[in-house]
Amino acid sequence: MGEREVEAFLTHLAVAGNVSASTQNQAKAALLFLYAQVLGVELGWLEGVTTAKSVRRLPVVLTEEEVRALLAQLKGVHWLLATLLYGAGLRLMEAVRLRVKDIDFARREIVVRDGKGGKDRVTVLPAKLVEPLRQQLARARELHSSDCLAGYGEVYLPFALARKYPRAPREWAWQYAFPATMLSEDPRSRRMRRHHFDEQAVQRAVKEAVRRAGIVKPASPHTLRHSFATHLLQAGYDIRTVQELLGHADVKTTMVYTHVLNRGGRGVLSPMDR
């Protein structure tokens, strides 16, 4: 099959299959990779494809009462990670990949390294999480010490940093703040390492907590980040400040939360309430 057949298939996904734009784009990217990298055939830009319409939806946001009810259903590491998502506005992967050196207790800051778009940013460390985080790091340090005594203790470092700093993978500062419960083999280097905490375990725990709390909204760990932004705007914080804490490149991305509030700059009061 060539370009014409691929175009017909992608058009069929949008017209007959009624798929979302992201699903069609994923199929297109997969096919372009297959033809270019595996079959060695260039398909071009596939300009004859009927594209699926993108829909911009408002994010799901919990009320403060719903956040309290959700967090009350969690415990241990799951509670601490979920509370970090809400208290610091972190994405799930940013939280589980957090390194010891990027938590500044004195300044009450968290440095997010290599976030979405490859950007670093600084966000707030909630005062209520200082002690729980210290306890978590104490447990992680005990685990790291026992790994080192057993001949392990290395952690994955990105961007060839392990070659530049050969001792860094075993140093405490570079360890994950939320380490995995078991050692595992790195499929690239074949070395036994302790990875970060399983993000899917957090997703499952939050999903179950939403059910037990009786929340009917389709909430996920990322909903806690949406709630962080919305509640800050609700409290009167400047949208540029919220933009920096979230790490958005464009303030227009942050503006979506003013639509959730339904009173960002508009101060609309329903005539029914007069």
Side-chain angles (χ1 to χ4, degrees):
M1 291 187 290
E3 188 169 335
R4 185 177 300 174
E5 288 78 12
V6 172
E7 285 181 350
F9 169 70
L10 293 174
T11 298
H12 171 80
L13 286 179
V15 177
N18 198 29
V19 301
S20 67
S22 59
T23 300
Q24 187 191 43
N25 287 335
Q26 186 180 42
K28 181 179 179 180
L31 286 167
L32 287 173
F33 179 86
L34 169 68
Y35 275 75
Q37 304 298 326
V38 181
L39 304 178
V41 177
E42 286 295 333
L43 287 178
W45 289 100
L46 303 177
E47 294 177 353
V49 175
T50 300
T51 57
K53 292 183 179 179
S54 334
V55 180
R56 187 176 178 86
R57 302 189 184 280
L58 291 177
V60 176
V61 172
L62 302 177
T63 65
E64 293 182 4
E65 292 74 19
E66 288 171 332
V67 171
R68 279 195 289 270
L70 189 158
L71 295 178
Q73 299 299 324
L74 296 168
K75 58 183 180 179
V77 180
H78 295 142
W79 173 85
L80 184 52
L81 279 165
T83 309
L84 261 181
L85 302 185
Y86 176 67
L90 300 181
R91 298 178 178 91
L92 177 56
M93 293 309 298
E94 292 171 349
V96 295
R97 288 175 178 166
L98 195 60
R99 311 247 181 186
V100 173
K101 66 182 183 62
D102 295 325
I103 303 173
D104 191 334
F105 290 106
R107 295 172 60 90
R108 291 247 307 277
E109 292 178 348
I110 293 175
V111 181
V112 178
R113 304 286 183 185
D114 193 30
K116 191 174 181 179
K119 300 187 295 290
D120 293 356
R121 75 177 190 278
V122 177
T123 187
V124 61
L125 170 59
K128 289 186 177 181
L129 292 187
V130 168
E131 190 53 36
L133 259 180
R134 287 188 190 276
Q135 294 173 8
Q136 169 62 26
L137 292 186
R139 290 189 292 268
R141 185 151 202 170
E142 287 180 8
L143 204 56
H144 176 59
S145 299
S146 63
D147 286 346
C148 290
L149 289 174
Y152 302 111
E154 287 191 0
V155 70
Y156 166 76
L157 295 186
F159 310 122
L161 285 173
R163 290 202 302 270
K164 188 175 182 180
Y165 306 109
R167 296 183 180 180
R170 291 175 65 91
E171 291 178 359
W172 164 239
W174 284 95
Q175 303 303 309
Y176 289 119
F178 297 94
T181 54
M182 298 179 64
L183 293 168
S184 58
E185 185 182 76
D186 189 322
R188 291 156 294 194
S189 65
R190 299 298 177 186
R191 299 177 73 89
M192 292 297 291
R193 289 175 173 153
R194 192 173 291 278
H195 201 48
H196 57 67
F197 196 79
D198 183 10
E199 67 277 8
Q200 292 183 351
V202 182
Q203 290 170 336
R204 289 192 295 267
V206 169
K207 184 177 180 180
E208 178 61 19
V210 169
R211 186 190 67 79
R212 288 201 304 265
I215 298 171
V216 296
K217 297 174 183 175
S220 68
H222 202 68
T223 305
L224 294 169
R225 174 176 157 90
H226 292 320
S227 303
F228 164 84
T230 306
H231 295 168
L232 282 181
L233 291 172
Q234 209 166 19
Y237 284 95
D238 180 72
I239 194 166
R240 292 286 185 180
T241 302
V242 179
Q243 177 194 357
E244 289 182 10
L245 292 174
L246 292 174
H248 289 160
D250 193 336
V251 72
K252 290 180 181 178
T253 309
T254 319
M255 286 290 289
V256 71
Y257 298 108
T258 64
H259 300 308
V260 175
L261 284 173
N262 201 29
R263 60 171 183 267
R266 289 176 289 175
V268 174
L269 181 67
S270 169
M272 185 67 188
D273 293 330
R274 293 186 183 278

